[in-house]
Amino acid sequence: MYPDNRRVALVAVLGGFLLGFVDFVWIKFMPWWPLADLGNSSAVWAVAAFFFGYWVRTGWLRAAAGAAAGLVIAGPAYYVAAALIQGDNWSRLWSPTSLLWMAFGVLAGVVFGIGGVWARGSGWRQTIGTALPGAVCFTEAALEAARIGDPSYGSEPIPHVVVRAVLGVLVIVLAGRTTRNRLLSLATALPLALLGLGAFLARSNGASRTPLATSGPATP
């Protein structure tokens, strides 16, 4: 049975809050930084929106709205966790950084929520929908790879690249319906990642959530 609108709304609200709250906990307490840094990854939030749409299965409008709402809620939920666990100022909930992340949440929720519904379909939509979450992970892997050789990062970006690339392949494998669909989607994800690279570079001046977890793992 497809989830009804009431269940979609409930999961969007609760799931969004848990995503943001657990995200902060993950960054702060995960001991190995390349994994902990996934909590500071826009790609991971996009993947969450994708799997929300994948769960909704039908109705691109409600998948997009639910995924966008969930990511918008996740932003302030992150700062709630920071205030409760780390004693940060509650004003961060409505700071420009929080508002910026909520704005990106709307965009990512719409694109990847619809992508999740498409991945349940057939034809070219299924291929592109399944490729989207892998592509955004590959884009972040490329951004991390660009840091290799930078003396301010040393060799640290290498495990970050590997973690994101593996995650990109894994989500395509999990979301793909058939072996053929997985292979086509993996091939499609690579050029999509190149397109996404431009968008990620455009937001490179945006705020990062990582510095909040100051007593957690060392920031890169």
Side-chain angles (χ1 to χ4, degrees), residues 31-32 35 38-39 43 50-51 54 58 68 83 97 103 109 113 132 140 143 176 187:
W32 189 47
L35 276 181
L38 286 178
F50 168 83
F51 278 109
Y54 193 85
T58 183
T97 300
L132 279 174
E140 279 202 351
L143 290 171

Side-chain angles (χ1 to χ4, degrees), residues 106-118:
V106 173
L107 177 61
V110 170
V111 172
F112 289 90
I114 293 174
V117 174
W118 279 12

Side-chain angles (χ1 to χ4, degrees), residues 50-66:
F50 168 83
F51 278 109
F52 178 87
Y54 193 85
W55 170 73
V56 171
R57 295 197 292 278
T58 183
W60 65 266
L61 180 58
R62 63 183 192 147

Side-chain angles (χ1 to χ4, degrees), residues 129-149:
T130 307
L132 279 174
V136 73
C137 294
F138 296 152
T139 297
E140 279 202 351
L143 290 171
E144 292 292 339
R147 295 178 172 181
I148 297 174

Side-chain angles (χ1 to χ4, degrees), residues 113-192:
I114 293 174
V117 174
W118 279 12
R120 291 279 196 173
S122 61
W124 64 269
R125 288 187 177 87
Q126 183 186 46
T127 299
I128 292 178
T130 307
L132 279 174
V136 73
C137 294
F138 296 152
T139 297
E140 279 202 351
L143 290 171
E144 292 292 339
R147 295 178 172 181
I148 297 174
D150 187 330
S152 61
Y153 292 102
S155 62
E156 188 171 343
I158 295 175
H160 290 251
V161 173
V162 174
V163 167
R164 282 162 171 77
V166 170
L167 179 62
V169 174
L170 181 61
V171 295
I172 289 176
V173 170
L174 291 176
R177 310 298 296 277
T178 64
T179 300
R180 182 176 182 273
N181 174 221
R182 294 182 183 102
L183 293 174
L184 285 174
S185 297
L186 183 60
T188 303
L190 299 178
L192 286 178

Side-chain angles (χ1 to χ4, degrees), residues 25-36 216-218:
V25 173
W26 179 270
I27 293 172
K28 189 170 181 67
F29 297 110
M30 172 59 65
W32 189 47
W33 181 244
L35 276 181

